[in-house]
Amino acid sequence: GGQTDYDGFVEWWCHVWSKWGERPKQDERPYAIVVVISMLLDMLVDLVYNQLTFFTLPLLLSTSETYLDFVKDAFAIFFITQLDDMEP
């Protein structure tokens, strides 16, 4: 928990780019742009939001009024972060 497999992340994107093949034709360029934007947004979510959640977690949990609220909040955050790792 808390560690990101950056080697697997880089390896996956290298695989995607290797399958890209030739330069896209003129009529396929909008699709290439969509793929690049999707890649950038995926990196943003995986790298930035993951760290943001990790560093703000203690602040959120410290505001719990009861032990039950603490457990509920901790479980909710764990559950939401696991949704990102699920395979379709």
Side-chain angles (χ1 to χ4, degrees), residues 1 5 13 19-20 22-24 26 32 34 36 40 46 49 54 62 67-68 80-81:
D5 184 14
W13 281 113
K19 297 296 181 185
W20 187 262
E22 301 174 357
R23 189 177 167 97
Q26 185 66 24
V34 169
V36 170
L40 292 174
D46 284 344
Y49 291 151
F54 177 73
S62 69
Y67 295 121
L68 187 59
I80 291 170
T81 57

Side-chain angles (χ1 to χ4, degrees), residues 39-58:
M39 288 172 54
L40 292 174
L41 292 175
D42 182 55
M43 286 178 22
L44 176 74
V45 168
D46 284 344
L47 300 176
V48 176
Y49 291 151
N50 189 13
Q51 294 299 317
L52 183 69
T53 303
F54 177 73
F55 287 115
T56 58
L57 181 64

Side-chain angles (χ1 to χ4, degrees), residues 3-86:
Q3 293 290 332
T4 303
D5 184 14
Y6 292 109
D7 293 333
F9 182 76
V10 171
E11 180 180 328
W12 188 84
W13 281 113
C14 288
H15 173 73
V16 169
W17 280 113
S18 70
K19 297 296 181 185
W20 187 262
E22 301 174 357
R23 189 177 167 97
K25 298 173 188 160
Q26 185 66 24
D27 60 336
E28 294 177 348
R29 286 185 191 258
Y31 298 113
I33 291 171
V34 169
V35 170
V36 170
I37 290 172
S38 176
M39 288 172 54
L40 292 174
L41 292 175
D42 182 55
M43 286 178 22
L44 176 74
V45 168
D46 284 344
L47 300 176
V48 176
Y49 291 151
N50 189 13
Q51 294 299 317
L52 183 69
T53 303
F54 177 73
F55 287 115
T56 58
L57 181 64
L59 295 174
L60 173 71
L61 293 177
S62 69
T63 61
S64 300
E65 295 180 10
T66 65
Y67 295 121
L68 187 59
D69 285 341
F70 178 85
V71 172
K72 175 192 59 121
D73 292 341
F75 179 75
I77 292 170
F78 175 76
F79 179 76
I80 291 170
T81 57
Q82 293 302 310
L83 288 176
D84 184 47
D85 295 333
M86 290 177 61

